[in-house]
Amino acid sequence: MAGVTGRVPLIAGNWKMNLDHLQAIAFVQKLAWTLKDAGHDYRETEVAIFPPFTDLRSVQTLISADKYEIEFGGQDLSQHDSGAYTGEVSGAFLAALESKYVLIGHSERRSYHAETDEVVAAKVQAALRHKLVPIICVGETAEDLEAFGPSAVPVKQLRDALAGVPADSEIVVAYEPVWAIGSGQAASPEQAEQVAAALRGLLGEVLSPETAAATRILYGGSVKAANIAGFLREPNVDGALVGGASLDLKEFSSIVRFRKHVGA
Ligand code: PGA
């Protein structure tokens, strides 16, 4: 059920460097069963997980054999398609494993791996070349927030990431304030809405009004079962990118089922 916006909410679990392929199999199985028992309708709220690369083949095999409706993708990809890039993973390989999505420009990639806005833009191009839907992560640090307010830095990051992106592309944007990631201190729904609205405005300006209206904008940063509903009540927030809480089966399934436990 897409609601008045026509956008189906997406709850995405970013596992980061947690769970090996055996743990991943057990987790995905339990998640699928839990959501099935709860009568979850994936057309009402889409669910995607982002395991480490070494888990993806196992996750793909399980999901395809058991016909689960859970989507998945990589946490990163190379800006190049093949060649002498030791340690990198091509979008072609992610596509060959039936990944639907790929995370790009997560703040941990930007800060620990020096990913610039130019690199992020090149990775968005690589994702689109391989028909992967990029989930473009943007967000301000605590210092940015103090100096420029909440929207300026994420808007600039998204503008740079969209360089050369065709107007009708399917993308997802994740607004993740860096200070809210893993801190237990989520942004307020009002702040998430303010930035999401600014990001949607930019999508309209740089891509097209139609693409802006169709693109899902997620909030990420200390999302839990207890605070998800507040974010999803905001008109421009269409889901969440969940880190820590995506590793807790009960918590993550409860976030996916946000409409039920709050009557939203
Ligand atoms: P968190 O992480 O939910 O643990 O704050 C979010 C993210 O990094 O995507």
Side-chain angles (χ1 to χ4, degrees):
M1 195 172 57
V4 286
T5 67
R7 300 186 292 267
V8 177
L10 169 62
I11 302 295
N14 173 13
W15 291 4
K16 309 192 180 186
M17 199 171 69
N18 294 289
L19 306 185
D20 67 23
H21 72 290
L22 295 174
Q23 294 168 317
I25 291 170
F27 188 95
V28 172
Q29 231 157 17
K30 283 189 214 145
L31 177 63
W33 294 339
T34 304
L35 293 177
K36 185 163 188 242
D37 284 350
H40 182 65
D41 181 350
Y42 290 84
R43 287 163 305 172
E44 188 179 80
T45 303
E46 192 182 357
V47 183
I49 53 162
F50 294 85
F53 289 130
T54 49
D55 298 4
L56 284 174
R57 175 61 169 159
S58 306
V59 165
Q60 176 222 6
T61 305
L62 172 67
I63 286 179
S64 120
D66 289 4
K67 302 194 169 47
Y68 297 150
E69 293 173 86
I70 298 168
E71 301 290 350
F72 58 90
Q75 297 173 11
D76 181 33
L77 86 172
S78 172
Q79 61 184 288
H80 307 288
D81 293 343
S82 66
Y85 302 103
T86 301
E88 297 276 289
V89 172
S90 168
F93 306 160
L94 295 176
L97 290 179
E98 298 167 350
S99 301
K100 176 171 179 185
Y101 296 105
V102 61
L103 299 180
I104 297 180
H106 188 278
S107 74
E108 286 149 21
R109 301 292 317 171
R110 291 179 189 262
S111 63
Y112 304 145
H113 301 273
E115 281 191 17
T116 60
D117 289 329
E118 291 66 37
V119 170
V120 169
K123 291 187 172 192
V124 170
Q125 294 295 326
L128 295 175
R129 273 200 302 282
H130 297 291
K131 314 250 175 317
L132 299 164
V133 177
I135 300 187
I136 304 170
C137 303
V138 297
E140 83 287 356
T141 63
E143 295 74 41
D144 294 335
L145 181 64
E146 205 166 320
F148 311 110
S151 311
V153 169
V155 164
K156 186 205 176 284
Q157 288 174 337
L158 184 59
R159 187 186 289 283
D160 289 353
L162 293 177
V165 169
D168 60 351
S169 304
E170 182 178 356
I171 62 167
V172 174
V173 178
Y175 167 53
E176 298 205 300
V178 179
W179 49 269
I181 295 177
S183 67
Q185 166 118 53
S188 68
E190 294 72 27
Q191 185 187 329
E193 169 61 19
Q194 183 192 336
V195 179
L199 294 170
R200 198 175 302 287
L202 180 82
L203 292 170
E205 184 194 312
V206 175
L207 299 178
S208 73
E210 295 73 30
T211 303
T215 298
R216 289 171 296 177
I217 300 180
L218 316 181
Y219 166 77
S222 297
V223 169
K224 300 191 273 288
N227 63 19
I228 182 68
F231 293 108
L232 268 296
R233 265 191 219 109
E234 299 293 343
N236 282 293
V237 178
D238 309 307
L241 182 54
V242 185
S246 75
L247 298 167
D248 180 323
L249 181 70
K250 212 166 149 255
E251 190 74 9
F252 189 62
S253 4
S254 181
I255 292 171
V256 169
R257 305 279 296 146
F258 70 95
R259 289 186 207 270
K260 303 298 169 203
H261 61 89
V262 292

